[in-house]
Amino acid sequence: MREIEDRAASAYREKFGAEPELVASAPGRVNLIGEHTDYNSGFVLPCVIGRRVAVAVGRGEGGLYSADFDEAHPLAEKDSSWAGYPRGVAWAMDEAGHEIGAFRAAFAGNVPLGSGLSSSAAVEAATALALDELYGFGLGREDLAVLCQRAENEYVGVNSGIMDQYASLLCEAGAALLVDCRSLEAESVPLDLEGAGLALAVCDTRVERGLADTGYNDRRNACERAARTLGVEELRDATEDHLKRLSGEELLRARHVVSENARVLGAVEALRAGDFALFGRLMYASHASLRDDYEVSTPELDAFVELAERTGAAGARLTGAGFGGCAIALVPAGETGALAEECRRAFAERGFEEPEFYEFVPAAGAEVVG
Ligand code: GLA
């Protein structure tokens, strides 16, 4: 067991005075490329990180306990706390006809919160996998991801796409995951950063993603409008040619989605050919499109990406919804520290919040560990 899984198991013992029946955990994610494409039924290419949420579960009363917040919540109540995520998953399973009895659960995690690294999807994925195992439903990972998304959309009330839950449940160590968000088919794409002498640096700009909810929903609505104007089912079906028939906001948003889908497919080809230079250029192009056409970047995210480019990163871009949160860069191995140093200095000079840095390797998806 990893340290975080041990911590969930100890918390369960302490809180409920019994051994957990099993422990599961699930990671947070970064998206390498393919942003704001999932809810347009397009393509995404995330990988998961070595930060996880672990849950120890068992049948019986006792509710939901978080070791990190030292907070207990009843299973059968509704509030706006973190407990909404596991409750939502239990609700979605029930709705889908998989009957859940009274269970209790203790959580521990080390996915940074509120940074856009999908800590909430990690809570959902860990819960879903644990409950599936506890009750012996035998559901597939894809089905669990769909249930988690339903929990997030309909129970928690956040209108996110399928990417984060898919990544957390289906990613494999040493690989990225290409997801076709229409067919929901997913395929591992080997991502040997070490072999290429590269590291994945993550900069958390510490900018609160205040506009995230409204901005995100506005973007979704604009995409739906653009698809209606074009007479296509979803922007997944739009082509470069179609764009000539759009203007204003609809044109900008649709141009991002159409070009981003093409970039994801190009990025997968580049990875398969071991062409990280091309992969990196596609990352920069993705960032420019998110900044200029989708308009979800911030001065901090732009500053990081510019600095990464200036200091020789193969590629860099904002990751996740934008409006703050994190950016990633593919940097020569061993150079994350230097980039972090320069970035801290540049941010301080411009009066930005002090950023936080991480370096990740593509980690393993959700697992039952004990
Ligand atoms: C958030 C959502 C995802 C996806 C990204 C943008 O992370 O949860 O479903 O839409 O934004 O790519």
Side-chain angles (χ1 to χ4, degrees), residues 29 31 34-39 118 160-164 216 320-321:
R29 64 99 188 90
N31 189 18
E35 219 65 82
H36 292 280
T37 44
D38 61 354
Y39 53 81
S118 291
S160 59
I162 190 73
M163 168 168 69
D164 308 339
Y216 188 85

Side-chain angles (χ1 to χ4, degrees), residues 102-120:
F103 72 95
R104 54 197 180 198
F107 293 85
N110 57 14
V111 184
L113 301 177
S115 305
L117 297 174
S118 291
S119 56
S120 54

Side-chain angles (χ1 to χ4, degrees), residues 199-202 329 331-341 357-359:
L200 181 63
V202 178
V331 298
E335 288 187 17
T336 300
L339 173 61
E341 241 352 275
F357 288 90
Y358 309 97
E359 190 181 297

Side-chain angles (χ1 to χ4, degrees), residues 203 300 303-313 331 335-350 352-355 357:
C203 169
E300 290 84 353
F304 172 77
V305 170
E306 277 160 31
L307 193 69
E309 188 161 20
R310 222 173 332 112
T311 54
V331 298
E335 288 187 17
T336 300
L339 173 61
E341 241 352 275
E342 287 225 28
C343 187
R344 277 199 193 95
R345 201 173 322 126
F347 273 36
E349 263 168 30
R350 297 180 62 175
F352 296 162
E353 281 293 312
E354 189 177 346
F357 288 90

Side-chain angles (χ1 to χ4, degrees), residues 29 31 34-39 44 116 118 120-121 149 152 158-165 209 216 220 256 260 290 294 317-322:
R29 64 99 188 90
N31 189 18
E35 219 65 82
H36 292 280
T37 44
D38 61 354
Y39 53 81
V44 294
S118 291
S120 54
Q149 189 201 9
E152 176 114 16
V158 176
N159 207 13
S160 59
I162 190 73
M163 168 168 69
D164 308 339
Q165 293 80 8
R209 297 176 311 137
Y216 188 85
R220 284 192 74 139
H256 166 72
E260 185 78 350
L290 287 159
Y294 221 65
R317 57 185 289 281
L318 72 84
T319 188

